[in-house]
Amino acid sequence: MKPTATRERILDAAERLFAERGYDGASLRAITGQARVNLAAVNYHFRSKRALMRAVFARRLEPLNQKRLALLETCMAARANGPPDLERLVEALVAPAFRMGEQSTGDAAALRKFMGWVLVDPGVQIERVLAEQFHEVALHFVAAFRRALPDLPPEELFWRIHFSIGAMASVLTGAPFLKIASGGRLDTSDVDGVVQRLVAYISGGLRAPLASGRRRRRGPPGGSGAS
Amino acid sequence: MKPTATRERILDAAERLFAERGYDGASLRAITGQARVNLAAVNYHFRSKRALMRAVFARRLEPLNQKRLALLETCMAARANGPPDLERLVEALVAPAFRMGEQSTGDAAALRKFMGWVLVDPGVQIERVLAEQFHEVALHFVAAFRRALPDLPPEELFWRIHFSIGAMASVLTGAPFLKIASGGRLDTSDVDGVVQRLVAYISGGLRAPLASGRRRRRGPPGGSGAS
DNA sequence: GTCTATATGGGGATAGAC
DNA sequence: GTCTATCCCCATATAGAC
């Protein structure tokens, strides 16, 4: 077997099994079994299971973010003067995540699930990897969104980006509540259609008018704002 | 010790530990230890760890959904004729999840995290519980949203509700990407403020204009898509 | 680089006394 | 209803031969 092939096989199998069973649910035995590789190979090529996890994630995140930046450049170039088109911007952020792995050997659906799962699960603790690889992309997109939505206060924009990634991630993972609300009538296999809907939804959310000052438990008219 | 107290103590401890460590990360030994209850008590009062998990979830979901329905009634009563106010509708769906456990003994932050986590994680397999308890609420809310957004095709509405719950869930869990995009500048402790922002965002998303028919990979004029 | 074999520890579940 | 003690399985990680 080609020396470097082992490493890739482990990454492929780990990706699939992490997606299917979660971090704890995917044992190294299962991973090495599916990769048809020796159990000890994991601890040789990677240092530990957690390190393997981070490697699986990092391998996908880098090209994903490059794709995003490339699309972002296109958006900005198309509107050299004036604000960029918001829908295109959102698409540049969202679509690459749904196109991942389409031409690789692995299971594209599993890959999407894995990525969404990693984004949402606070227990995975890939913040470091995420922060390193995502920081540049975040900066560029935040700047672009600011130009597209100049009236939105920065703090509000951050929150809305957060909501948007959450909406995207829940679709990637295949969260279970979808089939309940719809009675199972939704077609999740039409990736293009989902991306299109998601882009429309997120753009609408980003463009929403600012909430009026209504607060729950607002102070009475006399204005005793202390709390 | 009061007989029924044990059961509650287990539920409280399990809720906290599931929220902090996830399902696999929270061992029965840790749970019973924190509840200061014997290890075997879990398998006596519940049948298994999974059943305990479902019980933890169900205990919160029922009053949560009752609260939602009560708020929904208020919305509909306020606009007996004509469509209900969308923002109020969204608030009725979202706000109760963020108010959970405010007057109970447990850790409210942990509870929110747990609920969001359960919603998003497809591996938890609480679909049955979710379906049973959520079905009635889903029907009512879908009907109300339909009245508020009469021009939205049903399928589109289902998708958008799904996106909305995803956005909500990612806030509940405290997903990690928030602090990355913002550089840690966001105040997550202001629950009222977050709910307000979330309501505005979701309402905007629900109201978004339908995506035009643009599709990726429409037949290219010269079409050398090979790679 | 790859294998076998094993160290070491934790997990969920249960039997049976009280 | 509650406890102790234990069964039995599986996990990650590593040592050391090849």
Side-chain angles (χ1 to χ4, degrees), chain A residues 37-185:
Chain A
V37 152
N38 189 270
L39 171 62
V42 167
N43 269 331
Y44 178 81
H45 287 282
F46 310 88
R47 214 186 67 264
S48 66
K49 188 184 178 183
R50 289 217 91 86
L52 168 61
M53 165 79 194
R54 280 189 286 265
V56 170
F57 182 62
R59 177 177 68 147
R60 296 298 184 177
L61 192 60
E62 196 185 324
L64 173 63
N65 279 340
Q66 280 172 2
K67 180 73 180 165
R68 280 174 170 149
L69 286 179
L71 289 175
L72 177 60
E73 291 252 355
T74 308
C75 290
M76 302 308 277
R79 302 284 186 97
N81 312 323
D85 181 66
L86 184 62
E87 268 75 9
R88 288 320 215 28
L89 233 52
V90 172
E91 196 177 357
L93 183 67
V94 167
F98 287 85
R99 310 271 172 240
M100 273 184 314
E102 275 184 344
Q103 64 257 31
S104 80
T105 53
D107 179 347
L111 175 54
R112 286 195 292 271
K113 196 167 166 180
F114 169 76
M115 291 297 289
W117 173 77
V118 152
L119 276 182
V120 168
D121 191 335
V124 185
Q125 290 168 339
I126 38 92
E127 282 96 339
R128 283 262 300 283
V129 181
L130 226 168
E132 286 164 14
Q133 299 224 19
F134 201 71
H135 191 250
E136 190 198 351
V137 183
L139 285 181
H140 282 85
F141 270 93
V142 167
F145 279 125
R146 248 205 254 289
R147 289 191 59 195
L149 301 161
D151 296 332
L152 207 58
E155 198 188 350
E156 187 73 29
L157 176 62
F158 287 136
W159 274 111
R160 291 185 177 187
I161 292 176
H162 180 73
F163 301 152
S164 304
I165 299 181
M168 180 185 76
S170 78
V171 182
L172 286 170
T173 60
F177 47 78
L178 182 130
K179 42 181 168 301
I180 291 154
S182 73
R185 279 177 295 241

Side-chain angles (χ1 to χ4, degrees), chain B residues 2-42:
Chain B
K2 208 193 309 179
T4 58
T6 294
R7 206 167 182 278
E8 293 301 312
R9 294 159 67 86
I10 293 174
L11 286 171
D12 286 342
E15 182 173 278
R16 182 165 41 249
L17 286 169
F18 282 144
E20 283 171 9
R21 312 184 188 177
Y23 179 80
D24 299 283
S27 70
L28 290 182
R29 285 172 169 81
I31 290 169
T32 53
Q34 189 156 116
R36 280 175 306 163
V37 151
N38 190 273
L39 170 63
V42 166

